[in-house]
Amino acid sequence: MKVSALSSAEFSERLAGDGIRLATGPFNCRLQSGIPEITAELARLYAHHPLIDDTRFVDFHVAIQPGHGLRRWLRPQSRFIVDAIEPFTPLPRDQSLPMLEWGLNWCITAYSQHILVIHAASVARGNRAVILPAPPGSGKSTLCAALVNRGWRLLSDELTLIRLDTGELMGLARPVSLKNASIDIIRNYAPDAFLTQPVHDTTKGTVALMAPTQASVDAAKTPARPAWMVLPRYRAGADACLTPMGSGAAFLQLADNAMNYHILGARGFKAVGHTVDQCQNFSFEYSRLDDAIAIFEQLAGDET
């Protein structure tokens, strides 16, 4: 049974009560909220995710709740809570949905020391995946969203998860976070995709969330083999251009973006090295999404 099978009233009642229990790739989450205005968009963002029953183990018990006291009415706030702990300073109430996604990412990064967690987007075609590590403003999420809306499978927009034993990538298939100009770019590029209403004045600028495709969610538990590591960079007016990257430079890029590399120690070093060895590694400059998609389709069709 999926979230979409619940009526609006059922979803609202569960969210405000004992919570919505669902699977997001390798993690089970229980989501609760006492902020009713996020209910409709949250239901659409997670519409394709499977619900789990009360007997299943839950990795993260999280909640988005209103501020205390006067903060319920005077400049209202939202609080992120995980296992009765509030790890963050409250944010303005209209930032509740982005806060939930940021909080879930924090949970995975803080508590998942059995896998290598890389700050990178990742998408797959068949059983082969491309890893897109990049700093903010590089166009990573825009490129990721465009690929997902042209037939690639979303593994993750923010956190690439690599198994230490097999080196395979694990899928999360959670919403894609789009910022600033990327929001209208993707609305125009993929008019059938569901995007939430923009939230302004966050620490990351204006933010909207794009729902993952049903195909991506349905295949979330299917691992993918890392085949390419591409470091993207958007530059206005630039032609789409792939430039081969040496394995040393690729290692540094992945290690620098690994969230728990310093904790894993030798295991992290081995995992990064193994990933680089499996991949063709490139830097990539682009400005037009259609040109970028064509380059990635060429990569996916190249068996060599």
Side-chain angles (χ1 to χ4, degrees):
M1 182 176 179
K2 296 184 177 182
V3 169
S4 59
L6 299 175
S7 68
S8 297
E10 288 173 323
F11 185 88
S12 298
E13 184 178 356
R14 289 196 191 188
L15 187 66
D18 190 50
I20 300 291
R21 296 170 180 258
L22 50 80
T24 59
F27 302 106
N28 294 332
C29 305
R30 183 178 65 147
L31 310 181
Q32 293 175 290
S33 179
I35 300 178
E37 56 264 35
I38 71 171
T39 302
E41 288 189 325
L42 185 62
R44 293 198 64 180
L45 288 174
Y46 284 93
H48 304 304
H49 284 74
L51 294 164
I52 60 173
D53 60 45
D54 294 349
T55 64
R56 297 276 295 276
F57 176 80
V58 172
D59 297 279
F60 308 124
H61 299 261
V62 302
I64 293 288
Q65 299 294 8
H68 292 298
L70 289 177
R71 285 300 191 183
R72 286 178 174 268
W73 301 280
L74 181 64
R75 299 178 65 184
Q77 292 181 332
S78 293
R79 299 148 47 226
F80 178 83
I81 305 164
V82 54
D83 296 327
I85 297 171
E86 294 187 41
F88 311 126
T89 300
L91 293 178
R93 184 159 165 150
D94 65 352
Q95 297 183 23
S96 296
L97 267 181
M99 189 182 196
L100 174 61
E101 293 302 316
W102 299 333
L104 284 171
N105 288 339
W106 179 87
C107 290
I108 294 171
T109 302
Y111 296 117
S112 301
Q113 308 312 330
H114 60 294
I115 53 179
L116 181 67
V117 181
I118 297 177
H119 181 213
S122 49
V123 295
R125 175 59 63 83
N127 70 339
R128 296 184 297 166
V130 54
I131 302 172
L132 302 164
S138 61
K140 165 183 66 68
S141 294
T142 311
L143 181 58
C144 173
L147 286 164
V148 170
N149 283 287
R150 291 298 184 270
W152 290 71
R153 173 163 67 99
L154 175 67
L155 299 176
S156 179
D157 166 48
E158 286 291 334
L159 301 178
T160 291
L161 310 179
I162 301 178
R163 291 183 53 159
L164 296 178
D165 54 351
T166 65
E168 293 174 314
L169 273 63
M170 306 163 73
L172 275 175
R174 287 203 358 250
V176 176
S177 179
L178 298 169
K179 295 172 281 294
N180 303 316
S182 297
I183 298 170
D184 285 337
I185 290 173
I186 294 301
R187 283 194 194 279
N188 293 328
Y189 193 74
D192 293 334
F194 172 71
L195 273 67
T196 62
Q197 289 300 308
V199 178
H200 304 285
D201 300 323
T202 78
T203 57
K204 300 184 179 184
T206 299
V207 175
L209 300 170
M210 185 191 83
T213 61
Q214 180 175 346
S216 296
V217 178
D218 288 347
K221 291 188 179 294
T222 302
R225 174 178 61 85
W228 310 277
M229 194 283 289
V230 179
L231 187 73
R233 177 174 176 263
Y234 171 85
R235 185 170 67 85
D239 293 329
C241 181
L242 275 177
T243 303
M245 181 185 298
S247 56
F251 185 100
L252 289 176
Q253 287 294 339
L254 281 185
D256 284 348
N257 283 281
M259 312 291 281
N260 57 349
Y261 181 77
H262 61 295
I263 296 174
L264 293 175
R267 292 186 299 160
F269 180 88
K270 182 179 179 181
V272 171
H274 182 61
T275 302
V276 169
D277 288 343
Q278 290 189 88
C279 288
Q280 298 178 60
N281 303 298
F282 303 95
S283 59
F284 178 56
E285 192 171 71
Y286 78 99
S287 62
R288 294 174 293 276
L289 285 176
D290 284 336
D291 293 346
I293 298 299
I295 292 288
F296 277 78
E297 293 295 337
Q298 183 178 348
L299 274 181
D302 183 5
E303 293 296 333
T304 62

